[in-house]
Each structure stands twice: as C-alpha cells, then as structure tokens.
Amino acid sequence: MPAVDGTATMLVGRSEELRRFDSVIAGLGQDGVPAVVDIAADAGMGKSRLLSEFCARARQRGLTVLRGRATEYERHTPFQTFTDAFADVDRAFLDSGDVPEAAAPVLYGADSVQGAASGTGNRDRFGLYRAVTEVLTRLGERSGLVMALDDLHWADPASLELLDHLIRHPASGRVLLVVARRERQTPHSLAAALTRGIDSGAVLRMPLRPLREQDSIEALASDLPPGDASKIYASSEGNPLYLLSLLHAYRHGASSRGTTIRAHDDTASGVPSGLGSLLLDELTALTEAQRRTVEAVAALGDHATPAMLLSLRTGPTTAEELDDCIGALARRDLLRRGSDGRWTLRHPLLRALVYENTPAPRRAEIHRGAADELARAGASAAERAHHVERSLVGWDSVSAAVLSEAAAQFAHTAPATAAHLLEVVLRLMPEAPAHAQQRGDLTLARARALGVGGSLRESRDLLHTLISRSGPDDASLRGDAIALCAMMERHLGHSPEAIALLQRELVRSPGPEPRQAVSLGLALGMAALNTVSYPDVRDDIERTLATARFHGDLMGEMGALALGSLGEAYEGETEVARRFADAAAGLADGLTDPNLTELCESLVWLAWAEALLERYTDAERHADRGLDIARRSGQVHVLPHLLSSKAFVHLNTCRLPSALESAEEAESVARAIGSSDLLAFTLCFKALILLPHRPLGDTRALLTAEEAVAAAGGSRHWWASLASCVLGHTALVSGDPHRAQDAILRAGGPELLGLQPSIRPGQLDTLVSTALAIGDVEQAARWAARAVEEADRMGLHGQRGAALRAEAALAQHHGDARAAADLFERAAQAYAPSGARLWEAYSLLLATTQAQAAGDRPRAVAMWERARRIADDGGARLLSDLAALVRPPAEEAPLAPTELDQLTAREREIAELVAEGLSNQAIATKLYLSRRTVETHLSAIYRKTSVSSRSALAGLMTRTVLDRRAREQ
C-alpha cells in the first residue's frame, strides 16, 4: 500500500467482523466461546489490516498480544510462524522457571534444536506441543492472550501440525488464536484441521467478502470524479489492496495507470500480473544501491538486519551509505523496520514480486553470503540450512554436509523439514559408486523422516526402491530398510504385504546376520498380530527366541518373550502368556534404559500383555518406562501403543481423567503419523473412556466410535474388528440394541471367531444384553453359556466377571432378583483382585437394583455406597449419574410411641371425634352407641392419656398428628 496515501491504513467495511471479534474477546475463556478465529480470503482482501485492528482492540482491553507471520520463502524453517510471534514475549517471562525447556525450538527458533541432535534437547515433538500449550496458558493467566498468525497458507509443516494440536487441545483460560490465510492456497492439512475445529466449536470461521462500492468510494476515493472512481472500483472487484494500488497509480500518473487487474492472470506467487506491474513500478525510480538493498531484504527474510546487509557487500559498502539507502527506502514506505531491528518489505506480496524478479544468480549470491556470515557467527546447521539450500546451483559436498546435519537436528521435532533437506541433497548427489553408501544411508534416513512425518506411502515407495537396488554388499542396509518398510506397510493397513516381505527376507540365502534375523523375526510377529494370525507365526517367534538366546542377545530375547506373551494373551492361552511375561519382565527390569532404547517397542508388547493378563500395576510401570525412553529417543511410532496401553489400564482401574489425557495424546500422534489404522486403534480406547467419563445421555463416545469404524474402513487389522465392537458397546448404552448386535456380529461373525479370544467374554456379555433387549431370550442364554465357557478356559478374573454379568442379566430377565443380585455381586468381586474398579463399580450398581427388588435393602445400600464412591473418585460421570438414579430410598425411621398408642381402636375413634368437636350425644348417634357407653370409653381415654378434659384431649390429638407429619417429611 503506497505510503503517500493517507487512506493506506484505513479500515473500511469490516464492522460486522469487528463486532464478532469483540463478542469473542468479551467471553474469552468461557464455555462455548471459540479458541480460534479463522480469517480466510483471497490475496489483498485486507486480512492483515483486519488482524491489526483485532490486535489493537485486544490491547485496549488489556490483553497481551503476540503477532507472527508465515513467510513464502521460509516454508521449511520449522515453527517459523510461532517463533516470530513469541519474539514479542517479555524476555523476563521466557527466562523464568515458568517456561518449560521443551518449548525452546518454538520459542527461540531453529538454532535451539542443535541440542536435540546430540541427545540433550527435546526429541518428542508432541511433548513440545504440550509444552507450547502450557506456555500459552501461563501467558493467558497473566492478563489474557491473543496470538495473531498471519499468512498461514505459507506456514511450514511443523507450524501447521502445532496449530492442529492447539485446535484439538486448546490452551486453557483466556487464550485466543487468530489466524489469517488465503482460502485458495490453504494446504489441505490446515483446511482439515480448521474444519474439524468448526465442527467441534473450537474455531469461528470469518471469511472476508469484497468491499461494497459505496463504502469504498466514500472512504478511499471521494476526491475522484464519480465515473472514474466507479471504473477503478470495478477493476479492483472490491479487493482493498488492488483498489489502493489502482488509486495510487491514478493519482500519481504511473506508467501502469490504466492497468486492469484480473484475478486469473497470476504471477508465480499468486499476484495478479496487473497488480504486479503496479507494485513493481515503484522500484523504477530507485538507485542501483537501493534496488540491490531491496533485493537483499527480500531474500534474507528474518535475517535482514543492518549488520547482515552490510556484511553481504553487494549494496552499500559502509554503514553510513547503508543508513542513507535504508532511510530513503523507508521514506518511500518500501521498507519497514520491526521492533527487533529487522527490516522487511511493507507487504508480503511486494516481497514475493521482488524476490521473483531478482536474477537467480543474484539470489544465490545473497543466500550464500548469508550462510557464510551465519557460519562465521557460530550458527548451527539448522539455522544455516535455509540459506545453504537456496544458494545451491549444483553438487557441493560441504553444503550437503550442512543440510544433512540440519536434517538430523530436525528429525524429531520437524521431520517434514528433515525429509525435504535430505531430498535436496539426494537430488543433487552424483550417481557415482563413490557416493553409493552415503546415498543409501541418506535415503533410509529420508524414508524414516517421511514416515515419522506422516508421509507413509512416500516412505514405503522410497524404501521399495532402496530395497530393490541393494546389492550383496548392502545386507545390513537392506535389512534395516525391510524392517522399516514392514512398519510402513503395517501402518498403511497392509500387514499381509509386510508378512510376505519379511518371510521372503528371512529365507534368503545367505540369510541375514543374527541381529537382523531377530529384528526381522520380531517385525514378522508384530505384523501377524495385526491380522489375528499369531498362530501362523508362532514357530517363527520360537526360532527368533532361540536365535537371540544362542547369540546372547538379551534385548532380542526380551523382545521375543514379550511378543510371545502378547500373542498368547490374544489367543487366550493364559498360562503360556504368564510364563513368557514373567521372563520378559525379568529381563526388562534388569536392563538399563540405553539397552532398551534400541528395541523400545518390546516394552509396548510387554505392557499390553500384562494389561490383558490383568496385571495393571506392572503394565503401567512398563508403559511409563517405555514412554520415557521413546520420548527421549524420538521413537514416535511407539508412542500411540504405549499411551493406549496406559489409557486402557487407567480406564479399567477407574482413573478416567488421566485415561482420557493419554488417549487423546495417542490420538494426536496417530493423526500426525497419518495412519488410518493407527487412528482407528487410538479412537477405540478414546471412545471406551468417553463412555463412562461423560454424563448420561452424552453422545461423544458414540461419535468417536463411529469415527474409529470409519477410519478402519476395510482394514484387516484386528483393531478394525475392535472398532466395530466398541461401536456396538456404545450403541447399546445409547439405546440401540439392534445396531449394537449388528456391529459386533459383523466384526466377529456368528460364532465370534473373527475376534481374538481375549475379548470374546466381554463381547458376549454385551450380546446377551442386546438379545434380551430385542426379545431373543434363547439366543441370550446360548451367548451367556458361551461366555462362561470362554472365561473358564482363560481363567482370568475380569473375563469371569463379564461372564457372571451375562448370567445375571438372564436371571434378571426371568424375574429372579435375588439370583441376579448374587451374580452381579459375584461379578464385582471377580474384578476386585486385579484392581478393575470401573467394572467392579458398574457390576455393583447393577446388583444394587436387584437387591432392592429382592427386598434386601441393607445389602443394596452397602453395594451402592461403594459403587458411588468408586465412580465419584475415578471421574466416572456416567456411573455417578446411574448411581443417582438407582439410589436406595432412605429407610423410614420408626415413629416414637405416644399416649394415644395405648388406646383401643374404638377408643381411638372416639378420641378423634372429640378432637373434631362432636358432643357425646353426637358421637353416640354417629357410632350407633348409647350415650353411657361413649362416656365409659371417654373415662378410659382420660385415664390412659393422663388428660382431664375434652379440650386437653383435642389438643393432644392435634399435636400428635402434626408431629407425625413432620417426621414423615
């Protein structure tokens, strides 16, 4: 926007948007108020200007305001958008103990990730996201916070992933994010995250429409002839930036005065060519030194400081000349100085045009000079990478080393950037034998970064190419590539393909060396578990265990034992599973964390095996250890499984708030990895937790279960069946027994043989309830008997509890309340030894209603009180609501005896008539008695009640009635 226009900063025609923003700010932090405002519009529609007005209004209300901007030519600088915003935070706050160290890569930028590569920094990007959320929350606690992020369509992948996390897990308290983006250039991931936020109520969408002609002309062109003003408005199509540029050209007689801007005629950066001509026209009057300075600022981006500009030696050669040059550019409003001393072009579109029109050799020269200057200043490879990349015109081994080092530093916090930098190196690397080993190592590293970043198919395809090109001398590289490829295939839902790939490699001649034979054997067992075909590879796991033991590979032995334990637990072979779990736990507890780091996934298998064996304390201990190791070593792929096992343990032991926290973190990682199967897996446990955690009648559990089924799609993984079973369970609680039954039978088949034995008793318990609800009592009886049979075979307390509950439901249906109460209570007692308090409480509540029906009130009260206490302590809102509904009524206190209780029935009748005021004769007439008989009864009444008159007797009768009524209330 031209500096000479006094209207350049005027806000026109956005009163409705301001009203909506004021409403959000007024209710900030309250339930139902969005945590994100999304401003979407085409280039030049005034997003940045409206954002400035929002920030000004927030400051006027006393809120802290942070503002950052994504930039077009720094799209591979991780967290650049957020780092730019956090640059405005008070340094005293950042240096205080209130700021988690894990947030450093976002708070301080690329240079702070150097420690991560050496193992001293943060290697868990999801822990990083939680740390940033904590920082925002603490900033909001001080005075309220608005963080405004501009040009999000250019944001780097790491920033977009962090924003997605903040949409799904908003910072608590008075914190608001305001984002602005170009609608048509918005990446799919950002659009999807914002759409999910709109659906959940976390995001308020605020699209900007073209300005109205009357408003525009009155505010910006009232000095022009009406006809000319209308023509200029029509050419601008109501776009504020286009309109201002055309008005500037009109008023100053620029060479492009008559240009008509057309949206379909765009430059490379999305700027209409007509507008580009108008903006570039301003540069024609610049001196050579001024133009080269503008070009340098456009290329340098965040590094455009006076010191850097002077060091390049491509424009002004002295500090005085540079000051004069910058001063002239500032007066023309081509350059603007930020609060941190950096210089920028006045608008991102102008920067894009200048950068595009700078000769390529000149751009490379600027970037090369910046990279050299940063290196002299001791900057890390991560900070230099952007300029090194843009300075390359061919292969350069030194530059390749910098980019490779930067990729290693970004691997855990910004895997998409790491993959991009490695792709640059590989693209320029000569196809020569001397580079073959380096090419293979870097390709494997890039495939790993792609997988961690969620590009599963691209990773798998790259690994297929690497495997096919590996020769006899690349056995180690080939084995590592195959193990990684099998993991990608599993995440893509292609476990049969993973199994075939692994089996083919294991029978190759010559076969893999022992270490890799163990690694590939374990990968084979894991793939088979996914497809419910563990018995098919049981012999392979035994051979893997034997190989590990023969070669003294304790980690491989522990992994094989843990995987075997999990496989046998799936199959319901409890005794074998227990034996394997005992041996695996013994080895794991004796190994150090560095030992376990190489095969951290073994703790996943052990924790899940122990959870299925109802050893919840051991399962949680091993899951926590695995989480700690995985986060420190950056093994993102194991986090969802460890978090889900911990969530499952906390669900069963009735610690629902912490269970949901783990489940939601697992969901976040699964979404970032991009595996629909893994997402289905994590959503299953989230739905199971939401069901008892949310109040009676809440639909979130059902909706989550439906999303899990949709994510699983046509997958052949066992958790696709699990998703259907979870849907069945939530549908039953929601009052739809037909849908519940259909979902479970679709997953397992008529005999449930499609389900692993370890979950059958629980599903049979649900099926009994569905059959009784729809009136199929015979089928309910068959399923209850089957549940008992399956539970007895496995010999686990929880499975037995489910079977007992199924039998109790049948007894309840047949009207045998006492038998039903006994069975429900026995079910609760079955859960107690393992600590499965959630199911103990649920069974006790069911027993409560039957004990009441059987007339055993004391027993009902005792069971109800324990169930309610467990539910309230564990955050099981559904059970608390159910407890309120089935609460045994208070026992009626016995009435204290009174003088009237000594009276006979006839005497009581006469006393009541006296209280009503009837005379002796009237009483005799009413009761068909003689008057003398009435007087005889009255004498007895006076003696027994110790009263001496009719009025005293009437008073006694009235007081007694009132006292009884009061006690009854």
Side-chain angles (χ1 to χ4, degrees):
M1 299 178 189
V4 293
D5 286 343
T7 58
T9 59
M10 182 182 297
L11 185 66
V12 179
R14 301 301 183 198
S15 57
E16 175 60 21
E17 288 81 0
L18 294 175
R19 184 194 64 75
R20 297 176 73 189
F21 177 77
D22 288 343
S23 176
V24 172
I25 288 293
L28 198 59
Q30 299 176 15
D31 290 341
V33 176
V36 179
V37 173
D38 171 29
I39 304 172
D42 291 335
M45 286 297 297
K47 301 181 296 296
S48 299
R49 178 64 189 87
L50 183 62
L51 209 57
S52 295
E53 184 65 24
F54 284 174
C55 291
R57 287 177 175 244
R59 289 191 186 96
Q60 290 171 2
R61 289 175 175 263
L63 279 72
T64 299
V65 175
L66 306 178
R67 185 165 183 179
R69 182 191 294 275
T71 50
E72 183 174 11
Y73 301 109
E74 287 78 21
R75 296 191 198 188
H76 294 290
T77 301
F79 306 112
Q80 180 268 334
T81 312
F82 284 90
T83 302
D84 190 34
F86 278 115
D88 295 333
V89 175
D90 179 12
R91 294 293 305 186
F93 171 76
L94 292 179
D95 294 338
S96 70
D98 290 335
V99 177
E101 184 180 351
V106 175
L107 300 180
Y108 305 111
D111 203 38
S112 66
V113 305
Q114 185 170 10
S118 60
T120 60
N122 180 67
R123 299 169 71 89
D124 171 16
R125 70 186 194 271
F126 303 99
L128 166 62
Y129 301 162
R130 294 193 302 276
V132 172
T133 305
E134 184 179 343
V135 172
L136 293 174
T137 297
R138 291 182 179 178
L139 284 169
E141 289 171 350
R142 304 170 83 190
S143 59
L145 173 69
V146 171
M147 175 176 276
L149 304 175
D150 204 356
D151 289 329
L152 258 289
H153 52 280
W154 284 331
D156 59 276
S159 289
L160 294 180
E161 194 173 271
L162 173 54
L163 179 62
D164 180 45
H165 176 87
L166 291 170
I167 291 171
R168 285 184 288 104
H169 307 290
S172 59
R174 300 178 66 229
V175 178
L176 177 69
L177 297 183
V178 185
V179 303
R181 60 189 174 91
R182 293 186 198 169
E183 181 79 63
R184 290 182 295 176
Q185 292 176 253
T186 298
H188 173 73
S189 60
L190 175 56
L194 291 168
T195 300
R196 282 196 299 269
I198 293 170
D199 293 341
S200 67
V203 174
L204 171 64
R205 183 79 181 279
M206 197 178 289
L208 298 189
R209 307 301 180 196
L211 298 180
R212 295 192 308 165
E213 180 175 357
Q214 183 178 353
D215 292 341
S216 301
I217 293 176
E218 287 180 357
L220 305 175
S222 59
D223 58 321
L224 270 62
D228 289 353
S230 293
K231 290 179 181 178
I232 292 174
Y233 172 83
S235 181
S236 75
E237 298 178 347
N239 185 297
L241 179 61
Y242 301 2
L243 177 58
L244 287 170
S245 298
L246 286 169
L247 289 170
H248 176 69
Y250 179 92
R251 291 186 173 108
H252 295 83
S255 60
S256 51
R257 172 174 174 172
T259 299
T260 298
I261 299 174
R262 301 189 185 281
H264 64 271
D265 186 16
D266 287 355
T267 62
S269 59
V271 183
S273 58
L275 175 62
S277 298
L278 286 170
L279 294 174
L280 290 173
D281 186 66
E282 294 184 66
L283 306 184
T284 58
L286 301 183
T287 66
E288 179 64 18
Q290 289 171 351
R291 186 178 185 95
R292 291 173 76 85
T293 300
V294 168
E295 291 171 346
V297 171
L300 288 173
D302 287 346
H303 290 121
T305 62
M308 180 65 80
L309 289 168
L310 190 60
S311 71
L312 294 180
R313 300 291 177 183
T314 57
T317 57
T318 68
E320 291 77 11
E321 290 177 356
L322 179 62
D323 287 344
D324 290 343
C325 187
I326 288 178
L329 293 170
R331 286 190 293 275
R332 288 179 174 271
D333 196 30
L334 286 169
L335 294 188
R336 293 177 179 175
R337 186 172 185 173
S339 58
D340 55 1
R342 294 177 298 176
W343 288 94
T344 63
L345 286 150
R346 71 163 181 263
H347 197 282
L349 294 180
L350 182 59
R351 182 196 178 191
L353 287 166
V354 171
Y355 193 87
E356 288 175 5
N357 286 275
T358 301
R362 164 75 175 146
R363 289 201 303 261
E365 179 187 5
I366 296 170
H367 286 298
R368 190 178 303 111
D372 292 343
E373 181 62 23
L374 288 170
R376 283 192 291 271
S380 68
E383 189 173 0
R384 289 181 281 152
H386 165 69
H387 293 296
V388 170
E389 176 195 347
R390 289 189 170 270
S391 71
L392 288 174
V393 293
W395 172 250
D396 178 68
S397 59
V398 175
S399 296
V402 173
L403 295 182
S404 299
E405 182 182 351
Q409 292 173 0
F410 287 134
H412 302 295
T413 56
T417 296
H420 167 76
L421 295 176
L422 291 172
E423 192 275 333
V424 171
V425 175
L426 289 167
R427 186 178 68 246
L428 296 175
M429 182 180 288
E431 289 281 357
H435 296 285
Q437 181 175 350
Q438 184 184 12
R439 176 178 291 278
D441 292 341
L442 292 180
T443 300
L444 183 62
R446 180 166 184 262
R448 185 173 289 111
L450 286 168
V452 170
S455 300
L456 302 180
R457 286 178 174 79
E458 190 177 354
S459 175
R460 186 270 315 272
D461 294 345
L462 187 61
L463 289 165
H464 279 184
T465 301
L466 179 60
I467 293 167
S468 65
R469 290 181 178 177
S470 61
D473 297 332
D474 303 321
S476 178
L477 177 67
R478 176 186 175 86
D480 290 342
I482 286 175
L484 183 59
C485 187
M487 182 191 302
M488 295 302 111
E489 296 284 18
R490 289 203 323 260
H491 285 321
L492 287 167
H494 304 159
S495 287
E497 289 85 341
I499 291 172
L501 180 67
L502 292 162
Q503 288 178 328
R504 185 166 61 249
E505 183 64 17
L506 284 167
V507 298
R508 282 173 62 92
S509 182
E513 53 92 12
R515 179 189 68 83
Q516 288 202 325
V518 171
S519 175
L520 295 171
L522 295 177
L524 176 63
M526 189 61 204
L529 279 176
N530 289 349
T531 56
V532 202
S533 58
Y534 177 78
D536 296 339
V537 298
R538 187 178 270 128
D539 292 343
D540 296 279
I541 297 301
E542 290 180 359
R543 282 193 295 272
T544 300
L545 177 59
T547 300
R549 282 175 169 167
F550 182 79
H551 292 279
D553 180 359
L554 290 180
M555 268 307 310
E557 180 182 355
M558 182 259 174
L561 287 167
L563 189 58
S565 176
L566 180 56
E568 300 299 349
Y570 275 160
E571 295 302 314
E573 301 297 334
T574 303
E575 289 307 316
V576 179
R578 283 173 175 158
R579 188 168 67 252
F580 283 170
D582 288 340
L587 286 173
D589 294 344
L591 291 168
T592 65
D593 285 358
N595 293 142
L596 286 167
T597 298
E598 183 179 351
L599 192 56
C600 181
E601 198 166 6
S602 61
L603 290 171
V604 173
W605 307 327
L606 179 57
W608 265 114
E610 290 171 329
L612 292 178
L613 292 170
E614 301 173 8
R615 299 176 172 182
Y616 297 127
T617 300
D618 290 336
E620 184 174 2
R621 177 168 60 88
H622 288 124
D624 280 339
R625 189 179 182 193
L627 285 168
D628 185 51
I629 294 171
R631 284 175 170 145
R632 282 189 280 111
S633 59
Q635 299 186 56
V636 175
H637 65 284
V638 304
L639 289 177
H641 300 282
L642 287 164
L643 288 164
S644 295
S645 67
K646 184 173 181 177
F648 180 71
V649 168
H650 283 212
L651 166 68
N652 284 284
T653 54
C654 203
R655 290 174 282 170
L656 298 184
S658 57
L660 184 60
E661 182 180 350
S662 293
E664 289 185 334
E665 185 182 351
E667 176 196 357
S668 296
V669 181
R671 289 189 187 279
I673 288 176
S675 168
S676 56
D677 272 23
L678 194 55
L679 179 60
F681 174 72
T682 58
L683 288 175
C684 285
F685 296 101
K686 182 179 177 181
L688 285 175
I689 294 162
L690 283 172
L691 188 61
H693 187 49
R694 300 297 298 170
L696 194 64
D698 188 271
T699 61
R700 283 184 57 188
L702 180 62
L703 294 174
T704 303
E706 289 173 341
E707 185 183 358
V709 171
S715 171
R716 289 167 284 182
H717 282 183
W718 69 263
W719 50 65
S721 298
L722 176 62
S724 289
C725 291
V726 171
L727 176 61
H729 188 50
T730 55
L732 177 62
V733 175
S734 299
D736 192 346
H738 289 93
R739 186 185 189 191
Q741 189 174 109
D742 289 345
I744 296 174
L745 294 179
R746 185 168 58 252
E751 299 300 320
L752 300 189
L753 298 179
L755 304 179
Q756 69 269 30
S758 60
I759 69 169
R760 284 180 196 159
Q763 303 313 312
L764 287 163
D765 172 35
T766 301
L767 285 173
V768 168
S769 296
T770 65
L772 293 175
I774 62 180
D776 192 347
V777 181
E778 292 185 4
Q779 182 63 68
R782 287 193 292 271
W783 276 330
R786 173 86 179 280
V788 172
E789 178 187 341
E790 296 267 359
D792 287 345
R793 183 177 73 84
M794 283 183 282
L796 291 168
H797 292 295
Q799 306 287 19
R800 181 60 180 155
L804 285 166
R805 210 164 47 236
E807 290 184 300
L810 272 177
Q812 178 179 349
H813 179 80
H814 290 305
D816 192 344
R818 188 167 298 281
D822 290 343
L823 288 166
F824 279 132
E825 186 175 24
R826 287 173 58 196
Q829 292 167 348
Y831 286 113
S834 64
R837 289 163 57 86
L838 178 74
W839 305 110
E840 178 189 357
Y842 176 54
S843 301
L844 285 172
L845 288 176
L846 296 176
T848 296
T849 61
Q850 297 307 298
Q852 289 185 75
D856 194 344
R857 185 185 176 283
R859 182 185 181 193
V861 169
M863 292 189 293
W864 180 86
E865 287 180 345
R866 176 165 175 77
R868 180 188 56 80
R869 186 169 59 253
I870 293 173
D872 291 348
D873 291 346
R877 177 68 184 278
L878 176 72
L879 298 189
S880 295
D881 289 353
L882 181 59
L885 292 176
V886 303
R887 178 174 186 167
E891 187 174 9
E892 295 183 6
L895 297 176
T898 69
E899 298 91 334
L900 299 178
D901 293 326
Q902 303 176 54
L903 305 181
T904 64
R906 177 62 79 181
E907 291 170 347
R908 179 70 177 245
E909 191 175 19
I910 292 172
E912 290 172 351
L913 293 174
V914 169
E916 292 177 11
L918 273 66
S919 65
N920 289 354
Q921 184 57 56
I923 294 172
T925 302
K926 185 176 182 67
L927 298 180
Y928 302 101
L929 299 174
S930 68
R931 180 174 178 173
R932 185 174 179 82
T933 300
V934 171
E935 291 173 347
T936 301
H937 282 305
L938 273 174
S939 297
I941 292 170
Y942 291 154
R943 184 178 67 254
K944 291 178 179 180
T945 59
S946 301
V947 298
S948 57
S949 66
R950 298 176 70 86
S951 60
L953 177 59
L956 174 63
M957 294 293 296
T958 301
R959 288 194 304 274
T960 302
V961 170
L962 291 176
D963 287 347
R964 293 198 177 218
R965 286 177 180 174
R967 285 196 295 270
E968 288 172 356
Q969 292 174 354

